[in-house]
Amino acid sequence: MTTRQQLSPTSQKTLVGDGLAVGLHAIDVAAFTAKGSEVEMAFNHAWPTFPLASTMFRAIKASFERCNLPEILDHSPRRRSSDVAWHIKNGWWEPHLRYADSYQEVADLMRRSHGILPSIWMELAEPFVAKLGEERVRRD
């Protein structure tokens, strides 16, 4: 579940954006609210309990002072290495596959290239969604 290579901050952001999409897909969430403060509060709540936050993804910030999630989502369409592009549509953040045919393929690629088990992303997605609340997510 860990990698020997040190990931750049951009690579960390790319993986977290892609991984969040994988985790949300695994729990049947297709989109979540685009209301910034609610999204930031939910991420700030979920991130400290994510098992890889303090080891593999140290460059990711999730605090009242700075939350990287809006940047991660907003910049994803411009990151060529990102397998998922996030877009706001009708007030919802929605992930869209770019190169892969499925979220399972994205998860498998992260497992092969970085040693991250696909199930770990659910450990980020579940508390994120729980903090947002069901009225702020759209299920598949």
Side-chain angles (χ1 to χ4, degrees):
M1 193 165 43
T2 60
T3 182
R4 293 185 199 279
Q5 94 188 72
Q6 183 72 18
L7 296 170
S8 71
T10 299
S11 293
Q12 291 179 44
K13 291 172 184 173
T14 299
L15 284 170
V16 169
D18 290 0
L20 181 60
V22 165
L24 291 170
H25 178 75
I27 61 172
D28 298 320
V29 172
F32 57 85
T33 183
K35 291 184 180 176
S37 61
E38 294 173 359
V39 170
E40 288 184 22
M41 284 185 357
F43 188 73
N44 292 349
H45 168 79
W47 188 249
T49 63
F50 181 57
L52 301 180
S54 63
T55 57
M56 191 170 194
F57 297 107
R58 289 187 299 250
I60 305 300
K61 304 299 180 212
S63 68
F64 181 74
E65 294 82 23
R66 178 155 174 97
C67 178
N68 286 132
L69 187 60
E71 172 193 352
I72 289 169
L73 301 177
D74 190 49
H75 291 181
S76 66
R78 295 187 295 274
R79 288 191 186 106
R80 286 181 284 214
S81 61
S82 181
D83 288 309
V84 177
W86 287 89
H87 300 282
I88 294 177
K89 183 176 178 185
N90 298 322
W92 297 93
W93 276 110
E94 296 180 349
H96 298 276
L97 293 170
R98 296 176 70 184
Y99 310 117
D101 293 325
S102 69
Y103 287 100
Q104 185 60 50
E105 186 179 332
V106 175
D108 289 343
L109 178 62
M110 285 191 278
R111 181 185 47 75
R112 285 192 311 273
S113 60
H114 300 289
I116 304 170
L117 296 176
S119 59
I120 199 79
W121 297 111
M122 290 172 56
E123 295 185 45
L124 177 60
E126 288 172 338
F128 177 74
V129 168
K131 184 67 173 178
L132 277 175
E134 286 298 319
E135 65 278 3
R136 292 179 191 87
V137 299
R138 198 176 71 226
R139 298 242 176 217
D140 281 334

